[in-house]
Amino acid sequence: MAVTGWHRPTWVEIDCAAIQANIQNEQAHLPDDVALFAVVKADAYGHGMLEVAKTAKKAGAKGFCVAILDEALALREAGFDDFILVMGAVPQSFARLAAEKQIALTVFDLDWLTGLELLPVNLDVHVKVDTGMGRLGLRSMEAVREIEAEIVKREDVTLDGIFTHFATADQLETSYFEKQLACFREVVASMVTRPTWVHCANSATALLHDQVDFDAVRFGISMYGLTPSPEIIPVLPFELRPALSWYTEMVQVKELFPGDCVSYGATYEANEREWVATLPVGYADGFIRAYSGFEVSVDGVLMPVIGRVCMDQCIIKLPHKYSVGTKVTLIGSPNSADVAARHLNTINYEVTCLISERVPKKYI
Ligand SMILES: *Cc1c(COP(=O)(O)O)cnc(C)c1O
């Protein structure tokens, strides 16, 4: 069991109104008959799956996409009776469980299907086509037709959807994207029967490319108000509202004198008299060691993390003395997840996914 720190002043705030606004803005941007599936895998990218699912449903999401079966089961357990698709590979031995819970699974391989025991209840499947991502999926039109033929033979499996995933949808240069899209269209056109749900769009595709021929989008990162990549910010169709902020409070404030050092390795040494604060957050919370040097903020004033980040604590350099209990923004404007991603040499997705279960989430 993961222990959550309710009795420590370090917490994440999730702005549910921001999630709703992002979903509603995307829906207004989509053709009327295109459904929005909320991608809530990985604990909703660190935002908390059940609360996000509730908010997304209220905002009009028509279903959920997750990565693993356990996430789908947790949604069912919590009472969600909506459409759920597991986008990752699920061992065949659990297909019956998925069928019983009316959870749609992804078929990406003929052997997976032919090796499936006869199920006592219907299993909905979505066929995954690998049009160039090189990850999960069938790589030819023939393979898709074989799957179709196999499903027609079986009374316990329904072909409910077909989908693909783009490798470069978050780039302004679209030639690779166009190639994947053309391939997917060709595969769909070759089917004997078009399934109910034909879908290809992640957030970047849903924001930047027309969805008229498709039935749904899989809206992930931008539901949380984050951009799929920095380079597409100038061409986003509406302003995204980040939902997550991460806060802590100064638990000790002290003055250093020249020569005084901070944290493991004594890698930071004061050159002059200066004020520093100890924060009760560390790499075990997802505030990883690479945050050293990152600037957190107090009322918009930036101040750097100095020395090494420890497991449960870190130290920041203050411009002047502050009182113990002062609220510090770890992630939030102006030190957004995008700014953190740049500092950590990663993407905003990883910044929020990294926040561990030890950090409690408050929904506002
Ligand atoms: C995670 C995922 C998405 C959502 O992508 P975003 O960029 O977060 O919108 C969509 N489709 C698949 C297959 C995924 O794995």
Side-chain angles (χ1 to χ4, degrees):
M1 184 196 64
V3 173
T4 300
W6 293 102
H7 302 83
R8 171 184 72 160
T10 296
W11 71 100
V12 153
E13 255 171 46
I14 306 293
D15 179 357
C16 295
I19 294 177
Q20 282 194 20
N22 296 324
I23 291 176
Q24 282 161 353
N25 283 331
E26 173 56 24
Q27 272 172 330
H29 172 67
L30 287 171
D32 282 345
D33 54 350
V34 178
L36 185 148
F37 294 153
V39 181
V40 294
K41 62 188 177 187
D43 202 26
Y45 297 35
H47 293 63
M49 183 175 71
L50 297 182
E51 289 294 333
V52 168
K54 204 159 59 175
T55 303
K57 186 171 172 170
K58 223 189 288 170
K62 292 290 181 298
F64 302 107
C65 294
V66 294
I68 68 175
L69 181 58
D70 301 78
E71 293 166 340
L73 294 170
L75 285 169
R76 283 282 181 264
E77 190 69 26
F80 290 96
D81 55 2
D82 312 78
F83 167 84
I84 304 175
L85 170 65
V86 181
M87 301 182 293
V90 174
Q92 289 154 305
S93 53
F94 300 127
R96 178 176 175 162
L97 177 59
E100 283 165 353
K101 302 285 183 186
Q102 291 181 283
I103 293 164
L105 296 185
T106 294
V107 173
F108 53 90
D109 176 71
L110 184 62
D111 291 342
W112 187 92
L113 193 62
T114 51
L116 209 58
E117 57 165 333
L118 182 68
L119 303 169
V121 252
N122 176 73
L123 174 72
D124 281 340
V125 296
H126 285 219
V127 172
K128 178 75 183 287
V129 190
D130 177 9
T131 56
M133 176 71 181
R135 198 170 64 178
L136 212 56
L138 302 160
R139 292 181 67 99
S140 72
M141 232 144 67
E142 294 65 43
V144 173
R145 268 208 296 275
E146 278 170 7
I147 294 268
E148 244 193 318
E150 182 64 25
I151 291 175
V152 167
K153 278 194 275 175
R154 297 187 66 127
E155 292 198 338
D156 56 342
V157 178
T158 302
L159 210 177
D160 187 48
I162 185 163
F163 70 115
T164 194
H165 191 53
F166 296 109
T168 64
D170 62 345
Q171 296 174 14
L172 293 171
E173 211 291 299
T174 59
S175 55
Y176 195 83
F177 170 87
E178 298 293 348
K179 244 176 32 193
Q180 279 197 263
L181 182 61
C183 172
F184 185 57
R185 285 190 200 282
E186 202 181 343
V187 168
V188 173
S190 79
M191 295 181 83
V192 177
T193 314
R194 184 187 160 104
T196 309
W197 298 107
V198 178
H199 50 111
C200 65
N202 54 2
S203 294
T205 312
L207 290 165
L208 304 184
H209 300 278
D210 187 17
Q211 294 298 312
V212 278
D213 299 345
F214 301 109
D215 305 301
V217 299
R218 306 184 302 272
F219 204 50
I221 194 75
S222 296
M223 168 169 63
Y224 308 102
L226 299 177
T227 183
S229 74
E231 75 174 82
I232 65 166
I233 292 174
V235 295
L236 290 174
F238 54 88
E239 201 184 328
L240 298 170
R241 276 177 58 184
L244 181 144
S245 309
W246 192 3
Y247 300 110
T248 189
E249 288 177 8
M250 299 178 194
V251 291
Q252 189 175 22
V253 175
K254 62 182 80 174
E255 190 174 21
L256 298 185
F257 291 85
D260 287 350
C261 294
V262 156
S263 194
Y264 289 120
T267 58
Y268 180 85
E269 184 179 329
N271 297 319
E272 51 189 353
R273 283 175 71 162
E274 63 187 62
W275 288 94
V276 299
T278 303
L279 306 180
V281 65
Y283 61 78
D285 299 296
F287 200 74
I288 59 176
R289 282 165 51 108
Y291 273 107
S292 183
F294 179 65
E295 292 186 303
V296 300
S297 66
V298 175
D299 296 327
V301 178
L302 294 166
M303 37 198 89
V305 176
I306 56 172
R308 291 186 188 151
V309 173
C310 310
M311 186 184 289
D312 320 295
Q313 302 174 77
C314 67
I315 299 101
I316 60 172
K317 176 177 170 157
L318 309 176
H320 53 78
K321 188 179 182 185
Y322 278 87
S323 32
V324 165
T326 301
K327 182 172 164 181
V328 177
T329 303
L330 298 168
I331 297 291
S333 182
N335 39 308
S336 64
D338 285 333
V339 177
R342 209 177 316 133
H343 181 83
L344 301 176
N345 196 17
T346 182
I347 53 175
N348 51 21
Y349 295 70
E350 201 173 23
V351 170
T352 62
C353 282
L354 271 174
I355 301 173
S356 82
E357 271 190 77
R358 194 164 79 172
V359 182
K361 295 177 197 82
K362 299 178 185 173
Y363 296 88
I364 52 170

